[in-house]
């Protein structure tokens, strides 16, 4: 058995909100609740869910940019919540992050050489100026930019090129893990395709494993081998993407898959009404977090929190009645088909 | 009902005029919907703003926009203002920037009713409740007094739609109405827009760079590239048999559910020519894998491939054959 690249156990992250008044208890946001997940090397892992469900918080914790309230986060076998900042800095060269916004995440006043080399300084690299330049040139080349581009400033690039610069920056320390938070969401489809192909090449060439956060299910389906669906800070379903999106078992995953607009499915009546907008969870809850939006909810769902359990060789779901939802969906789909 | 002919949008420059949108033409009947797709900077929003008479600064529209017999481009700013209140309405990508943050949503929905329909304050309030209820704001009567920041992104977009509906527009222009929203909320807004079109018989123009949204929402579509319409036709025909190489490449670039991981996504090498560049050849020639000497002689005229399905390409309609 190879060692997992990420291993997260019983992770919780709570945020304390400011008191509304002196006499009321401060309220707490449960951003992440009992997260367990394992990312295997060279199996890119997708994280999907609606806005505010905790995706970015999870990414920041994996990167050591935020601390969990409880639980362990092991990256390559080391618990990053328990190591010293100096040790964390040293590990940094092995895992990097790419942010959503290719405009906001690049300093407009720095030229590309400085931007791309930044992680080398951050890990306290000792290379000479010349060596640094060579590394920048190499990183730029591997994302399909020219070495001469290092003299330019971010505004001289298109959106897709800026995202390439951001990826080059993440690559420069030759990491084995890159956490990418919505890396293609701000891009047009033609540019999105270029960036997705690039990530695929880097995976093949350098053996990089990606943790890929996105609200676009088709993108995650294409870019990742495994994925987890998060609802209100909990993983509700997890497994190989081929199973997760072909045969979604959790009612929430089903509504996400059904909500994706498809070319040529005009005037399709969606079998299931998509649930209403999400609130953040500000109280510890008994029962299933999805019960309020779930058309299958029964008495048991309101009192007993469903545990995430493996139902089909690595495909796991947290729902008491997933078998009922599965057959209901099958009959709804035949009804739509006729 | 709406006829747009040779609509041009031009920025008056110091040395020369820069053409932002070139010769856009289409027709749209009541109760029908038109989609506009294209990559960012292709001129989608400028076309929409021209229809609304809302072009910024030194940007001007020419050509003809005829709405139910009235030539909109001939109207004074004051006359256009009344058309905007009564006949055409628009919703934008980010509702937060177009809603007034310091006014209650009740007031923002009621305002145009008082202004343009001459309703009393009390009647406008009642109508505002009905509209907010219609667009799916729960408990509308009690929410009249909340401010935009107290609503979710999807609810804010619903309020924008309620404001747009308040004047019973003949045409509703929606510029990227769901781009900032989650898939499940996007689904609700798209369903709502569709219901409203069939209920009120208004015409809908929906702009998006998401081909999935366009593909399932609209009857007709325009594909824009570098300020030009490169293809126009019935949406299901354009999707089933794209006639312009650009449309065809765009469709191939989308990852599809269940696509094999070993399959590479198709890309379109190169970039869109800068807006306003004088074109002596086909505007797509620099990126087209079917390019030949004839393409470089002059911008290609529209070639008809089917009933009302046209493409600005000398090889229009042979795109599929040539690729295969
Ligand atoms: N520093 C903080 N203080 C208080 N609450 C926070 C903080 N950071 C995040 N949260 C809350 O934690 C929850 C998860 O936030 P997070 O940013 O992880 O969402 P997300 O899934 O990345 O959403 P999006 O898709 O919009 O980026 C949200 O309810 C958010 O409001
Ligand atoms: N206020 C403005 N002044 C000058 N040029 C503009 C202005 N707004 C947009 N443009 C230019 O017009 C072109 C089309 O823009 P737009 O219609 O917004 O594109 P999109 O298809 O992304 O909606 C772009 O090249 C853009 O840079
Ligand atoms: S446990 Fe119950 S409420 Fe939760 S998703 Fe399953 S059926 Fe729905
Ligand atoms: S006219 Fe020529 S260059 Fe232009 S799209 Fe058609 S084949 Fe390509
Ligand atoms: Mg986020
Ligand atoms: Mg736009």
């Amino acid at each position: 058995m190879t060692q997992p690249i990420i291993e997260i156990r019983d992770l919780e992250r709570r945020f304390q909100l400011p008191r509304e008044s002196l006499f009321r208890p401060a309220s707490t946001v449960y951003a992440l609740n009992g997260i367990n997940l394992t990312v295997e090397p060279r199996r890119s892992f997708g994280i999907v869910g609606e806005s505010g469900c905790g995706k970015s918080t999870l990414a920041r914790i994996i990167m050591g940019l935020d601390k969990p309230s409880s639980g362990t986060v092991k990256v390559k076998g080391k618990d990053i919540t328990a190591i010293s900042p100096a040790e964390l800095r040293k590990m940094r060269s092995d895992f990097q992050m790419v942010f959503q916004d290719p405009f906001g995440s690049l300093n407009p006043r720095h030229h590309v050489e400085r931007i791309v080399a930044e992680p080398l300084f951050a890990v306290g690299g000792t290379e000479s100026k010349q060596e640094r330049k060579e590394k920048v040139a190499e990183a730029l080349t591997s994302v399909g930019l020219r070495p001469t581009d290092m003299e330019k400033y971010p505004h001289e690039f298109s959106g897709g090129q800026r995202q390439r610069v951001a990826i080059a920056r993440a690559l420069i320390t030759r990491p084995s893990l890159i956490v990418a938070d919505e890396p293609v969401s701000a891009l047009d489809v033609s540019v999105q395709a270029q960036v997705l192909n690039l990530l695929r090449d880097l995976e093949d060439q350098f053996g990089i494993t990606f943790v890929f956060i996105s609200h676009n299910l088709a993108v995650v389906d294409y870019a990742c081998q495994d994925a987890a669906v998060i609802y209100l800070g909990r993983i509700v379903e997890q497994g190989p993407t081929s199973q997760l999106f072909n045969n979604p078992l959790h009612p929430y995953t089903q509504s996400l898959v059904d909500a994706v607009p498809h070319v040529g499915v005009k005037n399709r009546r969606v079998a299931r009404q998509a649930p209403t907008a999400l609130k953040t969870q500000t109280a510890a809850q008994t029962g299933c977090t999805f019960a309020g939006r779930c058309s299958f909810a029964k008495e048991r769902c309101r009192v007993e929190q469903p545990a995430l359990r493996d139902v089909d060789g690595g495909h796991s779901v947290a729902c008491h009645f997933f078998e009922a939802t599965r057959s209901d969906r099958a009959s709804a789909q035949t009804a739509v088909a006729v | 009902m709406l006829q747009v002919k040779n609509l041009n949008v031009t920025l008056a420059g110091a040395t020369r005029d820069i053409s932002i949108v070139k010769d856009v033409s289409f027709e749209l009947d009541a109760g029908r919907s038109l989609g506009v797709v294209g990559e960012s900077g292709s001129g989608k929003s400028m076309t929409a703003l021209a229809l609304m008479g809302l072009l910024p600064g030194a940007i001007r529209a020419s050509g003809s926009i005829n709405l139910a017999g009235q030539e909109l481009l001939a109207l004074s700013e004051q006359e256009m203002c009344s058309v905007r209140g009564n006949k055409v309405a628009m919703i934008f990508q980010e509702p937060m920037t177009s809603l007034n943050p310091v006014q209650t949503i009740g007031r923002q929905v009621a305002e145009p009713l008082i202004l343009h329909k001459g309703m009393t304050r009390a009647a406008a309030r009642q109508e505002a409740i009905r509209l907010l209820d219609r667009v799916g704001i729960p408990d509308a009567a009690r929410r009249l007094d909340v401010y935009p920041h107290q609503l979710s992104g999807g609810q804010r977009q619903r309020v924008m739609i309620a404001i747009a509906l308040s004047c019973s527009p003949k045409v509703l222009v929606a510029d990227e109405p769901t781009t900032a929203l989650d898939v499940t909320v996007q689904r609700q807004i798209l369903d709502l827009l569709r219901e409203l079109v069939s209920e009120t018989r208004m015409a809908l123009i929906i702009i998006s760079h998401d081909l999935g949204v366009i593909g399932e929402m609209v009857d007709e579509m325009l594909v824009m590239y570098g300020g030009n319409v490169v293809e126009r036709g019935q949406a299901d025909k354009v999707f089933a048999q794209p006639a312009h190489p650009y449309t065809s490449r765009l469709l191939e670039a989308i990852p599809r559910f269940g696509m094999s991981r070993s399959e590479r996504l198709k890309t379109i090498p190169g970039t869109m020519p800068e807006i306003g560049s004088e074109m002596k050849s086909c505007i797509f020639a620099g990126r087209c894998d079917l390019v030949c000497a004839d393409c470089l002689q002059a911008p290609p005229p529209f070639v008809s491939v089917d009933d009302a399905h046209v493409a600005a390409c000398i090889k229009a309609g042979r795109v599929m054959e040539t690729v295969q």
Side-chain angles (χ1 to χ4, degrees), chain B:
Chain B
M1 184 195 51
L2 175 67
Q3 283 157 337
V4 175
K5 259 197 218 116
N6 299 105
L7 174 66
N8 279 276
V9 176
T10 318
L11 170 67
T15 51
R16 64 180 186 103
D17 289 353
I18 295 166
S19 165
I20 294 179
V21 170
K22 269 167 267 168
D23 283 328
V24 171
S25 301
F26 63 88
E27 293 184 12
L28 189 59
D29 287 333
R32 304 276 291 172
S33 53
L34 173 83
V36 183
V37 294
E39 55 199 90
S40 76
S42 60
K44 306 183 296 294
S45 298
M46 286 292 141
T47 305
L49 293 175
L51 294 175
M52 296 297 298
L54 287 174
L55 288 171
I59 303 179
R60 300 276 173 269
S62 60
S64 160
I65 303 173
N66 190 303
L67 177 63
Q70 190 175 28
E71 176 53 54
L72 299 190
L73 289 182
L75 299 181
S76 68
E77 173 49 31
Q78 205 176 1
E79 290 166 322
M80 193 57 212
C81 207
S82 125
V83 168
R84 272 200 298 276
N86 283 304
K87 293 183 181 157
V88 294
M90 181 158 176
I91 55 179
F92 299 88
Q93 170 166 355
E94 192 17 82
M96 203 54 197
T97 54
S98 27
L99 287 171
N100 184 339
V102 296
Q103 239 179 39
T104 64
I105 63 165
R107 197 147 159 216
Q108 297 187 56
V109 180
E111 197 83 353
L113 295 167
I114 299 168
L115 221 66
H116 294 291
K117 288 201 165 163
M119 285 191 186
T120 64
R121 203 152 273 287
R125 203 176 155 87
Q126 275 316 304
E127 178 63 5
I129 295 175
R130 191 190 70 79
L131 286 166
L132 288 170
D133 189 61
R134 178 60 199 92
V135 299
I137 297 285
D139 210 2
R142 286 209 293 145
R143 290 213 193 207
L144 283 182
D145 299 320
V146 309
Y147 292 89
H149 70 91
Q150 292 168 291
L151 300 172
S152 73
Q155 287 172 331
R156 287 198 284 261
Q157 198 54 287
R158 288 173 197 270
V159 172
M160 278 304 300
I161 295 173
I163 295 172
L165 286 179
S166 66
C167 63
S168 334
K170 288 183 158 45
V171 181
L172 175 66
V173 182
D175 189 357
E176 307 268 3
T178 58
T179 305
L181 305 174
D182 283 319
V183 275
T184 50
V185 183
Q186 161 168 293
R187 155 74 34 227
Q188 296 166 357
I189 298 290
L190 295 180
D191 285 348
L192 172 65
L193 286 174
R194 197 147 55 202
E195 283 165 28
L196 292 170
V197 166
S198 68
E199 211 174 284
T200 65
R201 307 270 308 140
M202 67 181 176
L204 174 69
I205 297 178
I206 181 164
I207 295 175
S208 178
H209 70 271
D210 185 334
L211 289 143
V213 168
I214 297 294
E216 78 167 46
M217 283 293 287
V218 305
D219 304 313
E220 326 266 327
M221 68 189 279
L222 305 178
V223 181
M224 292 193 69
Y225 184 78
N228 290 255
V229 171
V230 294
E231 181 160 0
R232 183 180 69 220
Q234 215 175 297
D236 36 11
K237 294 208 170 133
V238 174
F239 280 112
Q241 272 195 314
H244 195 282
Y246 175 65
T247 317
S248 167
R249 296 301 164 267
L250 214 50
L251 287 170
E252 287 167 356
I254 313 172
R256 297 174 309 273
F257 259 135
M259 188 171 168
S260 148
R261 275 181 53 83
S262 57
E263 214 176 313
R264 273 182 87 74
L265 291 171
K266 300 254 173 60
T267 60
I268 313 174
T271 51
M272 197 168 71
E274 202 150 338
I275 214 90
S277 22
E278 284 305 320
M279 276 300 171
K280 296 199 169 50
S281 64
C282 168
I283 190 167
F284 191 55
R287 303 171 78 182
C288 183
D289 43 14
L290 303 180
V291 64
C292 63
D294 289 343
C295 307
L296 305 175
Q297 299 305 315
F302 276 114
V303 175
S304 168
V305 292
D306 197 351
D307 261 1
H309 182 181
V310 297
C313 167
I314 55 171
K315 296 182 180 166
R318 286 185 288 150
V319 177
M320 303 293 248
E321 290 162 41
T322 338
V323 175
Q324 276 153 18

